[in-house]
Amino acid sequence: MSKLVCLVSGGIDSPVAAYMMIRRGVEIVAVHMDNRPFTDDKNLDKALLLVRHLQEVTNSPIKTYVVPHGPNHVTFARNCNRHLHCLFCRRMMFRVAERIAEREGAVGILTGESMGQVASQTVQNLTVVTQVTKLPLIRPLIGMDKQEIIEIARKIGTYEISILPGLCCTIVPKQPSTAAKLADVIGEEEKVDIDALVEKSLEGMYVLAPETL
Amino acid sequence: MYSLLKPCKTTAAIEAIPRERLALNLDLCEEILKKNCTIVANAGVMLIVNDRCEVSIHRDGRLILKTDAAGLAEEQASRIAGWLAGSAAVRKQTGSGNAGQHCRK
């Protein structure tokens, strides 16, 4: 069975993406990038509830990694171009997911990204984000609109969990770039020690076995 | 200092809006608030402290209070306003207030 690392937030899209691939016979390892203190505890709770629900509806055990991402936000906010913040955030997620994939023997990274839904998900920005990893990025929702995704989420029972209260990421810039250039992003990232941030994130992560959720 | 408390659109937090347009020096705020609060993070664009609840303090003076209890949020906003009032960390700017920048009314 193929294995994918799936980035799972507390939102609507990523559980749907995970469900679709599990249904196609893929084994999922969930990775939640913990944005606290720029979100709140409720977001982590929701992500874990969603993984537990996915386990139940698919009858598939899902190992879950929780990775501290807040310190990465602080570093980028203090040192790099604010407009590109969401790109730095996504690229860090993929770097961490790639390392977890190596550890888990996963062959790719699965996300709930859907074209044009938020600032980081324009064609240009998705391209910039994609460049950061050698692994294939699997985006089963890429061409779907929000309503289609919500319909599936309702059908599989994740929608009601995803819309529970939770503080949205508060460090999103007021004017996020929607058409970033790879060279600009790389230039900004050179202002910080990316490798050290990745290592620190991995040192701080913890793993939840399927039966503990 | 704060005139308005309203639920964030996510309903997971309450936002306090300054009555006047403000510009906060968050590094100075950190120096002042660390006597009374735990400093959670200073991201330059936002200072996060923990007292009765966790609070994100923005450079324009807005507070995001991570509680859904209005009374607690109001008390926490007053405590922070009291600690910062009259300090060099807070500069008043001309013009109207900040209402409506982050959350739905």
Side-chain angles (χ1 to χ4, degrees), chain A residues 156-182:
Chain A
I156 64 176
T158 55
Y159 181 75
E160 296 305 323
I161 301 170
S162 295
I163 62 167
L164 289 171
L167 185 63
C168 298
C169 185
T170 54
I171 201 156
V172 171
K174 278 182 186 162
Q175 293 175 311
S177 170
T178 54
K181 292 189 172 68
L182 180 61

Side-chain angles (χ1 to χ4, degrees), chain A residues 29 31 39 44 61 65 83 117 121 134 150 152 174-175:
Chain A
V29 175
V31 174
T39 56
L44 173 59
Y65 287 80
H83 301 299
Q117 214 178 96
Q121 294 175 19
K134 296 184 295 291
I150 287 173
I152 299 172
K174 278 182 186 162
Q175 293 175 311

